[in-house]
Amino acid sequence: MSTTSKRLDAGNRLRSADALAVIFGDQLIPPRDHPALRAIKKERDVVLMMEVDAEQQEGPSHKQRTALFLAAMRHYALDLIDLGYSVRYVRLDHPSNTQSFAGEVDRAVAALTPRRIAAMHPGDWRVFEEIQRWERSIVEVKEVVVIEDPYFFTTPDAFAAWAKGRKSLTMEYFYREQRRATGYLLDQNGDPLGGAWNHDKQNRLAFKDHPRPPGPPLFRIDCTTREVIDLVSERFTDAPGKLDASSFTWPVTTEQGEQVLDRFVEECLERFGPHEDAMWTEQPFLYHSMLSSSLNLHFLDPKRCCEKAIEAYERGRAPINSVEGFVRQILGWREYIRGVYWYEGAGYRDRNFLRSDGKLPGLYWDGQTDMRCLRECVSSVIDHAYAHHIPRLMVLANYAMIAGVSPRAIGDWFYGMFVDSVDWVTTPNTIGMGMHADGVRSADGSVESWPVVGTKPYAGGANYINKMSNYCAHCRYDHKSRRAETDLDRPPCPFNVFFWDFLIRHEDVFSKNHRMGMMMKNVAKMPSDERVAITVTAKSYREKFGVSNREDN
């Protein structure tokens, strides 16, 4: 047994505690700021941290994602031990591990007989419901204290108050209120710096021949992380994704997260804005921050990230469109998505507004496809457990939506395959924004409530992909065509075929959406022979690419 494992296992010999502070793997706030640690006494209480196989049962998890969680947790626990905390740490491969949060909390309570449990508000409904079980079922514990997460600008209750009574939950309006509340990027009169709340029009440049981005940060793999990499490689041999010491580049501590933040502000922020929507072959990172995993594991305070970028603008080191775009991702979109997740309730992950039931194509697991855009994007995920927001939205989710894949199937893939994935982030981004699935329809198909995150589906054909990337160049498919009668050497792009088939299949619903009026008029005017040709080609493509649904049977 390694020295690290011996140090982590030592806390299992503890025999009493007045209180138990439970810290989950995505709650690694620096100890000085952690609310659960503030709620206990270091000299007489115990911290419980758990690695459990049950987390893998939520669906396949990319090896790098699993390794990141475990390495970050172990480093955090070792830091707590160095600070004098008593830590009961349950390793994944410890022989007494029950492999579930419920089993390990029960086991810790039996061993330590605490009167009180303190925990920070968790990041997903499943864990929140587990905490509620402690309150109902663990009779030995007199009090369970759930403390609000301080590493957000708002709370679920505050978002619910904002959302109550609104016909639609428009992110832009929420974002402006957050800007006013924080004072970020406002002048003395309370008006937005640069004359606009949103500078997206300046942030739509393709990459082309710009200076080579700096690439991902590289960290020395210490013995703790190396031990985790070996454990994951041996224990989860069938898990998706690549993992070895040379490919694992993710920060596993707050200090490393701070280094990534500094690198982004100094080396990438200036060019981030104009190229934040660009995609390019063999450039999966471009000028993106790569901070999402550190933010979602709570290494980094989102306020500090925003303020460091704003400071760069004030020093003349970065333009307003880059800084505003970055601040909007954190203060606007990240806060909004979390608010939607908790506001919409525990069943959100299973919504299916468009009633799609197709299978997830095998290409999502191996990248083996003659569609160049999907091959590039899936390969990045396999290699790095990462793709930035445009490949995720406009390639990976867009294809699944217009092809008719089940939202839960692609949602589970997104949940497991990205290093920054946690449920409150991934579910609204995938089920809501990516799949337009978060509305509700009655048994007869009538709309009870329209989708929440997107007022219209983020669906598109090949034109956008061709504009923002070099993927369409030298691809087997013709990005300008949507019909099979064209040159047989260049069959029509599946994105075009599926896009128009998507509109035809859902014409009844989309024709009632005022934001899609012009598009649906084009569908209504489409000659019947062209509609038939698109429908037939779409059916053959679904068969070819491994998507099948009721309409094809």
Side-chain angles (χ1 to χ4, degrees):
M1 181 182 295
S2 70
T3 302
T4 296
S5 295
K6 289 179 180 178
R7 292 187 67 201
L8 292 173
D9 287 355
N12 290 297
R13 295 191 291 271
L14 297 167
R15 287 293 174 262
S16 68
D18 288 346
L20 190 67
V22 180
I23 297 179
F24 295 102
D26 60 346
Q27 297 183 339
L28 308 182
I29 291 177
R32 65 182 180 276
D33 298 326
H34 205 296
L37 295 178
R38 289 180 172 181
I40 66 171
K41 300 293 184 182
K42 183 189 298 188
E43 60 274 12
R44 68 186 187 208
D45 297 329
V46 173
V47 179
L48 173 64
M49 297 181 70
M50 304 162 281
E51 302 173 359
V52 296
D53 265 342
E55 291 301 284
Q56 307 301 316
Q57 296 169 8
E58 287 298 293
S61 180
H62 195 294
K63 291 186 180 77
Q64 290 191 40
R65 177 178 181 266
T66 302
L68 172 60
F69 270 81
L70 300 187
M73 290 173 65
R74 293 187 181 196
H75 280 90
Y76 190 85
L78 293 171
D79 286 345
L80 290 181
I81 293 169
D82 289 341
L83 290 170
Y85 286 93
S86 297
V87 180
R88 181 184 173 94
Y89 193 93
V90 184
R91 289 185 294 110
L92 193 67
D93 51 345
H94 192 281
S96 300
N97 192 335
T98 63
Q99 302 300 342
S100 72
F101 289 151
E104 287 312 305
V105 170
D106 288 347
R107 201 160 67 91
V109 168
L112 301 170
T113 63
R115 294 175 298 170
R116 185 167 60 96
I117 297 178
M120 190 173 81
H121 196 294
D124 64 65
W125 277 102
R126 177 176 51 85
V127 178
F128 185 69
E129 289 168 350
E130 168 63 19
I131 292 175
Q132 291 177 318
R133 183 193 71 83
W134 304 345
E135 296 178 299
R136 296 190 306 268
S137 305
I138 305 179
V139 296
E140 297 91 343
V141 175
K142 304 303 180 185
E143 181 184 23
V144 176
V145 180
V146 181
I147 310 158
E148 191 55 63
D149 187 336
Y151 269 33
F152 288 94
F153 291 90
T154 59
T155 66
D157 287 345
F159 184 90
W162 174 84
K164 186 177 180 180
R166 292 178 181 266
K167 292 183 178 180
S168 60
L169 305 183
T170 304
M171 194 284 288
E172 182 68 23
Y173 300 147
F174 172 80
Y175 168 56
R176 293 182 186 185
E177 290 193 20
Q178 294 306 303
R179 287 271 294 277
R180 293 188 180 100
T182 59
Y184 287 172
L185 298 173
L186 301 181
D187 63 20
Q188 292 181 343
N189 297 319
D191 296 322
L193 295 175
W197 291 100
N198 185 315
H199 295 267
D200 259 358
K201 291 182 179 180
Q202 301 176 54
N203 292 351
R204 294 170 181 162
L205 298 181
F207 178 62
K208 295 184 179 178
D209 298 323
H210 290 279
R212 187 176 182 85
L218 298 176
F219 300 105
R220 183 181 66 84
I221 303 295
D222 64 14
C223 60
T224 300
T225 300
R226 188 174 298 277
E227 187 174 317
V228 164
I229 289 173
D230 292 342
L231 171 65
V232 172
S233 298
E234 293 169 6
R235 191 178 184 94
F236 303 111
T237 55
D238 295 331
K242 294 181 180 178
L243 174 64
D244 56 51
S246 63
S247 65
F248 189 83
T249 62
W250 299 104
V252 297
T253 65
T254 290
E255 292 73 20
Q256 291 180 350
E258 290 281 356
Q259 292 175 37
V260 178
L261 175 60
D262 290 343
R263 162 200 166 273
F264 169 67
V265 171
E266 296 302 321
E267 300 181 20
C268 298
L269 180 57
E270 180 182 2
R271 294 184 180 275
F272 162 73
H275 307 294
E276 67 172 301
D277 288 0
M279 299 177 283
W280 206 254
T281 303
E282 297 181 351
Q283 290 288 347
F285 308 109
L286 291 173
Y287 302 105
H288 288 265
S289 71
M290 299 180 66
L291 292 170
S292 53
S293 63
S294 294
L295 281 164
N296 294 347
L297 293 181
H298 286 60
F299 295 161
L300 294 179
D301 187 339
K303 301 178 184 68
R304 174 167 169 75
C305 294
C306 289
E307 289 165 8
K308 199 168 182 67
I310 293 169
E311 180 185 354
Y313 168 72
E314 293 171 345
R315 290 189 289 119
R317 299 292 301 275
I320 185 64
N321 56 306
S322 287
V323 174
E324 186 277 322
F326 177 69
V327 169
R328 179 158 27 96
Q329 287 188 345
I330 296 177
L331 177 64
W333 192 253
R334 186 172 186 268
E335 295 287 324
Y336 170 81
I337 283 294
R338 181 185 184 237
V340 166
Y341 175 84
W342 289 104
Y343 186 69
E344 291 299 313
Y348 188 91
R349 197 173 179 182
D350 290 313
R351 291 192 188 175
N352 190 354
F353 180 71
L354 299 177
R355 299 184 172 178
S356 300
D357 63 353
K359 296 178 181 178
L360 184 69
L363 66 89
Y364 278 84
W365 300 110
D366 58 22
Q368 298 301 307
T369 175
D370 52 6
M371 288 179 281
R372 190 179 180 196
C373 59
L374 277 163
R375 184 171 69 248
E376 291 283 344
C377 294
V378 173
S379 294
S380 170
V381 178
I382 292 171
D383 290 346
H384 308 290
Y386 176 84
H388 70 75
H389 65 284
I390 293 300
R392 296 193 203 199
L393 176 64
M394 296 309 297
V395 179
L396 297 165
N398 179 23
Y399 181 81
M401 176 173 62
I402 61 180
V405 173
S406 156
R408 182 60 191 259
I410 187 66
D412 288 350
W413 182 84
F414 268 93
Y415 180 77
M417 289 299 286
F418 289 89
V419 75
D420 53 13
S421 177
V422 287
D423 196 39
W424 68 264
V425 174
T426 306
T427 293
N429 270 301
T430 308
I431 303 300
M433 190 179 192
M435 295 297 289
H436 199 63
D438 60 342
V440 178
R441 290 164 69 184
S442 60
D444 64 4
S446 59
V447 176
E448 293 185 14
S449 61
W450 289 96
V452 179
V453 173
T455 52
K456 68 174 183 178
Y458 277 84
N463 183 57
Y464 180 86
I465 296 171
N466 183 56
K467 177 183 176 183
M468 298 308 301
S469 77
N470 65 342
Y471 297 157
C472 297
H474 310 298
C475 183
R476 176 170 185 261
Y477 296 94
D478 182 358
H479 68 272
K480 296 180 180 180
S481 174
R482 68 186 186 192
R483 294 189 59 166
E485 290 82 357
T486 57
D487 183 352
L488 293 179
D489 291 334
R490 295 288 309 280
C493 175
F495 275 85
N496 291 340
V497 174
F498 284 142
F499 172 69
W500 288 102
D501 177 69
F502 174 72
L503 298 180
I504 292 168
R505 282 187 288 122
H506 300 292
E507 188 171 4
D508 288 347
V509 173
F510 292 157
S511 62
K512 299 179 179 69
N513 184 327
H514 70 280
R515 291 199 64 200
M516 298 186 70
M518 185 64 70
M519 183 66 68
M520 299 316 297
K521 286 180 181 178
N522 292 334
V523 173
K525 293 176 183 178
M526 188 180 294
S528 60
D529 62 333
E530 186 162 9
R531 291 170 71 105
V532 170
I534 289 170
T535 300
V536 169
T537 307
K539 181 178 179 179
S540 69
Y541 274 180
R542 276 193 286 272
E543 292 172 353
K544 173 181 177 179
F545 295 115
V547 183
S548 61
N549 54 35
R550 284 192 299 266
E551 297 178 21
D552 295 328
N553 296 328

